[in-house]
């Protein structure tokens, strides 16, 4: 009876196992029939990824081999370069040492050939020659120093004379400012021109004094002398304009006055008050020149 029960149990368990196995087979069959998405597959089930990984491993192995080969080549080249430099340095050192020994030997041989008397004579001659050269050098230096001192002394003397002339001229200018008559100022300006011929400032003041004396042609001549040296001298142009105005050359007077005011704008006010320009009042160019804004 017990054996019969155990046999029934075994048969039941076998049937249950067969049924479960059939269900698993059905599930696997369904799973095999239903396609799985590419993203859900394992990385090892993807053939393209496997190919990519294999290619990358092969490239890494190739790059590593090339790097190893390049490093071996560079290390070998550097070792050869160091060896070449060492050999070159050793060669140069030995050559220079040989030249040094040869030179020392030659000098010893040369000295050995000379007698003590010859050495003494040569030493004395060399010393005399050196002393003579030193004496000549110092003599040339002393001569150059003497010439420089003479030149500077001459410059100092000329500067002292110039200072004296400047002081004298300054005193004459002060005298001219305090002189009452144009004749007295004319004499002072002549003294200034004796000390410093061609002084343009003295000549322009001399032309002004000549205008005050009524010597219009003389003032015109003096102004021309100044303008021959400095054609843009504003004071000389102004004095010549005054002379032309007095002599009746109105257009020339206005032309010179235009140039003078262009060089020195302060002469515009002087022209308004200048008595020598009385004959020019009413002249269109002159009126426009002294009053460009039409205020007068």
């Amino acid at each position: 009876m017990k054996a019969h029960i155990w046999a029934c149990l075994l048969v039941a368990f076998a049937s249950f196992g067969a049924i479960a196995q059939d269900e698993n087979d059905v599930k696997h069959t369904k799973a095999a029939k239903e396609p799985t998405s590419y993203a859900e597959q394992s990385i090892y089930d993807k053939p393209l990824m496997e190919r990519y990984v294999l290619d990358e491993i092969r490239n890494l192995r190739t790059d590593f081999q090339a790097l190893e080969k390049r490093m071996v080549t560079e290390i070998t080249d550097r070792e050869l370069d160091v060896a070449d430099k060492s050999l070159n340095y050793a060669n140069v050192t030995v050559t220079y040492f040989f030249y040094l020994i040869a030179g020392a030997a030659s000098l010893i041989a040369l000295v050995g050939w000379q007698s003590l008397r010859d050495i003494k004579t040569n030493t004395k001659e060399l010393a005399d020659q050196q002393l003579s050269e030193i004496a000549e050098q110092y003599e040339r230096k002393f001569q150059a120093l003497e010439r420089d001192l003479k030149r500077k002394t001459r410059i100092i003397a000329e500067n002292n004379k110039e200072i004296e002339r400047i002081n004298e001229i300054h005193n004459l200018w002060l005298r001219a400012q305090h002189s009452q008559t144009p004749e007295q100022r004319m004499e002072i300006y002549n003294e200034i021109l004796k000390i410093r011929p061609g002084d343009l400032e003295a000549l322009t003041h001399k032309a002004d004094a000549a205008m005050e004396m009524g010597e219009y042609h003389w003032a015109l001549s003096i102004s021309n002398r100044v303008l021959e040296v400095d054609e843009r001298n504003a004071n000389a142009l102004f004095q010549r304009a005054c002379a032309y105005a007095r002599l009746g050359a109105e257009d020339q007077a206005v032309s010179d006055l235009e140039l003078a005011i262009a060089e020195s704008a302060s002469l515009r006010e002087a022209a308004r008050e200048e008595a020598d320009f009385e004959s020019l009042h009413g002249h269109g160019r002159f009126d426009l020149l002294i009053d460009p804004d039409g205020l007068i």
Side-chain angles (χ1 to χ4, degrees):
M1 185 67 180
K2 291 181 178 180
H4 181 74
I5 293 171
W6 281 107
C8 290
L9 291 174
L10 290 173
V11 171
F13 281 125
S15 299
F16 181 76
I19 293 169
Q21 183 67 31
D22 293 337
E23 290 179 355
N24 288 332
D25 292 339
V26 170
K27 289 181 180 180
H28 285 295
T29 304
K30 290 181 179 179
K33 290 181 180 180
E34 295 179 358
T36 305
S37 64
Y38 188 79
E40 293 177 355
Q41 292 180 5
S42 174
I43 188 172
Y44 301 105
D45 294 336
K46 299 177 181 180
L48 294 178
M49 184 60 68
E50 181 179 359
R51 179 64 181 176
Y52 173 76
V53 172
L54 292 176
D55 290 342
E56 288 295 321
I57 293 173
R58 185 183 62 184
N59 291 335
L60 287 174
R61 185 173 65 253
T62 304
D63 293 342
F64 180 77
Q65 291 176 354
L67 176 62
E68 182 180 6
K69 181 179 179 181
R70 187 165 61 253
M71 289 181 64
V72 171
T73 303
E74 290 183 359
I75 292 171
T76 305
D77 291 340
R78 294 198 177 191
E79 289 179 352
L80 290 175
D81 189 21
V82 171
D84 184 53
K85 289 183 178 179
S86 300
L87 289 175
N88 187 24
Y89 177 75
N91 185 21
V92 171
T93 304
V94 172
T95 302
Y96 286 163
F97 187 71
F98 174 76
Y99 288 158
L100 182 62
I101 293 175
S106 301
L107 182 62
I108 293 172
L110 181 63
V111 172
W113 291 339
Q114 297 289 337
S115 62
L116 294 176
R117 183 176 180 180
D118 293 338
I119 293 174
K120 182 178 179 180
T121 303
N122 293 334
T123 303
K124 183 178 179 180
E125 291 178 355
L126 181 60
D128 292 339
Q129 183 179 359
Q130 292 293 330
L131 289 174
S132 299
E133 291 179 357
I134 293 172
E136 290 178 358
Q137 290 178 2
Y138 275 101
E139 185 177 359
R140 289 194 295 270
K141 289 181 180 179
F142 283 135
Q143 290 176 354
L145 181 61
E146 184 179 1
R147 289 194 299 269
D148 190 37
L149 288 174
K150 289 180 179 179
R151 182 177 60 82
K152 290 182 178 179
T153 302
R154 184 174 62 255
I155 292 172
I156 291 172
E158 292 176 355
N159 290 336
N160 289 332
K161 291 180 180 179
E162 183 64 21
I163 291 171
E164 292 177 358
R165 286 195 294 268
I166 291 172
N167 290 331
E168 186 175 359
I169 291 172
H170 180 67
N171 293 329
L172 290 172
W173 280 113
L174 292 176
R175 283 177 53 196
Q177 290 178 0
H178 294 87
S179 298
Q180 300 297 325
T181 62
E183 289 80 7
Q184 292 176 349
R185 292 197 295 273
M186 183 68 73
E187 292 179 0
I188 295 173
Y189 297 147
N190 288 331
E191 291 181 11
I192 294 174
L193 290 171
K194 287 180 181 178
I195 298 172
R196 184 171 290 172
D199 190 303
L200 299 183
E201 186 176 2
L203 286 171
T204 54
H205 282 80
K206 185 177 178 180
D208 183 50
M211 288 295 298
E212 293 183 19
M213 294 168 58
E215 300 290 342
Y216 306 130
H217 290 283
W218 190 13
L220 181 63
S221 177
I222 296 172
S223 300
N224 287 331
R225 285 178 56 190
V226 176
L227 293 172
E228 287 176 359
V229 179
D230 182 10
E231 62 182 6
R232 302 177 64 180
N233 191 297
N235 291 327
L237 288 168
F238 189 85
Q239 295 300 331
R240 192 168 72 173
C242 292
Y244 278 139
R246 287 293 186 179
L247 294 173
E250 296 180 355
D251 292 335
Q252 293 176 343
V254 174
S255 298
D256 282 346
L257 186 58
E258 287 175 347
L259 295 175
I261 292 175
E263 295 296 330
S264 177
S266 61
L267 294 176
R268 189 188 306 276
E269 186 66 27
R272 293 173 184 170
E273 302 175 358
E274 180 60 52
D276 293 331
F277 293 144
E278 290 182 358
S279 61
L280 297 180
H281 288 282
H283 192 285
R285 289 171 57 197
F286 177 78
D287 293 339
L288 182 62
L289 185 62
I290 64 173
D291 187 22
D293 297 328
L295 300 177
I296 299 176

